[in-house]
Amino acid sequence: LSLSLSLPLSLPPLSALSAPYHPAVCRMSGLVLAVDVVVVLVLAVLVLWRYADFSRQHRLVTVATLLAWYLCFLIVIILPLDVTTTIYRQCIVDNRKLSPTAAPNSTQPPTGSSSNTSHSSAGLQPFPECVRPWSYIPDGILPVFWRVVYWTSQFLTWILLPFMQSYARSGAFSMAGKVRTALIENAIYYGTYLLIFGSLLIYVAVHPGLRLDWYQLQMIGITAANTWGLFLLVLLLGYGLVELPRWHWTAAHSGHTLARTHFKAAKLLTERVEAQEELDDLMEEVRKLNDTVKYNHPQRKNIDTILRKCPVEYQERMSRSMDDYEDFEERGGCPSERSLARLHKQVIRAAQRYGRVSVQWTMLLDQAFYLEDVARNQDNTTPHFVHSFPPTQPRGWFSRYLYTPRVEWYWQCWLRCWCHRALALVLAAFSVLVVWSECTFFSTSPVLSIFAIFIRSAENSRNYLHVQMGCLLALLFLSTCVYWTVFRIRVFNYYYLAPHHQTDAYSLLFSGMLFCRLTPPLCLNFLGLIHMDSAISHQAHEQAAYTSIMGSMRVISFIADGFYIYYPMLVLILCIATYFSLGTRCLNLLGFQQFMGDNEMTSDLVDEGKELIKREKRKRQRQEDGATRRREWKERYGNQSTDPIRNRGPPEPPEPSPLPPRAPRDTDSSELLQDVESLDFRADPDEPSSEHSRYQPAGRYLSMSRSRIFDDV
């Protein structure tokens, strides 16, 4: 700001707006654009790191998802700069029209001096109200920027990401097989798009007064993409405008949050059992195939590929009971490559689901234990937070010096609830403003949209900072409501963004597709809310560079004059339905249990989850007590065997012992534990108990086949 105040405030000629004649201004605008680009990239990487596993997933999946998220976040952050630049250009145009000395067709408006604001010479009049904004982007930069960003995101969402989705889910064993499967699965997908595009093309071709050229084809494609994106945008926005403030309001009540956690525990345990059963069934099928296929079978390498995708605990239990050098004989019932590819796909999905549910169960237990600690510490008169279990990780400098137990008690037991309530009220106020503006933004005289009134007021006062902050806050709120819904929705086990690095490649790519389809119509709808889209406001106003890339929606009049204006009003009905939880009640009627406070099934699941948490808490307490006793035993008697005071008697010759000699690091307690012989109550009593009879070395390939069911004991 201090740099911009020291710059010349005079107006350049309109023909020279694109010329970099103010190096300091260009450097400032370039710096702002560069900072935004870098900050958005860091934000996208951090969000993706929370959900994706960079070490396990393919690099192309990670790069494609990161690029899709990054472009969408970048559109939201850069659009306010485009708005302020457009307002500045509109100011210059308006002053040209009001200038008493400028010629009607003159392209050289008056110029002034930065040091003398009242300067007038040669019939030129100064216009000090048109101050160049500090975030001004020179002409020619933003159109190229929007064109690259928009068409790259559209290529990702309509062509590349769907293909990568099918490629990632394919169970084929070669690249050619994966590509073939992806093309077959996307044939219907692409055919639907061609059908919609063809219908719009026929409409333009038969419509009188419209000529079909390359520009018209681009507008048809953009209109079709924005129409589909706006249809989905209103559905997600209607849910997020109500559910986001409600979530923060209910989060202020620790009892409600704890009850919801108990409900999630009961449902997650059921899902965990189902995932375990599904994985066990697939592992049994893999075991049978592994017994059938010998080492020289043509499909042996495909079996090994499937075995490598099994969980580690299953791989460790796999040992071959057949001779590795037993030759393959032609028999009936040999698996085909197509059946193995289907099994490979099922194993990948089941293993990923089982790992995700296991991690979620552990994290949910930690969350439930912590919420119970918060409820118990609220009754304490001493401001000191006490945990039921010690932290599993060592405390860092933040916990030691800043987030101390006293600070934690004040935050969790007092401040946190008030912060959630205040944030819920602010978000609810923004939601009301958005709903009102969506229902009235088509009215230009009088102006009823709250966002349009604010931006117009800031534009008249030439307060570019207010314009930029207002646009940024509104866009951040709208995008947060939409993206928050995208992160929360779940389509069975096909799409689910799970935190703690548990999201699969299919869900990551699908989220990238949704972001790229939702963000362009979201920004276009926002420009309509502030009356900067001439297709909606019907005003002769300078078009933003983003709108110029979108082109004129007048190519298809019934969409521009009907769908784009009246369909966003549906957000009011969706907000009312979300407020009364109509969708949740419908899912409950269909058998998908959802958390509802006035439902009997919900109460039963909450009670069941409470008992599960108590059981897991007792189990963890026993583990903690056992670890504490072992640690105390080791600290008290660990070095007793090496104490010279206790060994005062004469040395005696060692007696022969059947046990192996003890290692130097072994202590009395560990030796005592090693002397206990493990008993197997499931073993056959007629079998010998020697080590050689109970152990079979692994062969060349992993396997689950055994001659008897307990050979791995």
Side-chain angles (χ1 to χ4, degrees), residues 12-32:
L14 279 178
S15 59
L17 278 177
S18 59
Y21 61 93
H22 283 304
V25 175
C26 294
R27 287 196 299 268
M28 173 61 69
S29 60
L31 179 62
V32 172

Side-chain angles (χ1 to χ4, degrees), residues 95-107:
N95 286 340
R96 284 184 57 199
K97 295 179 181 179
L98 297 177
S99 174
T101 58
N105 298 327
S106 174
T107 59

Side-chain angles (χ1 to χ4, degrees), residues 285-296:
E285 188 174 354
V286 171
R287 182 193 65 81
K288 293 179 180 179
L289 287 176
N290 196 48
D291 291 343
T292 304
V293 178
K294 310 301 180 181
Y295 78 97
N296 57 347

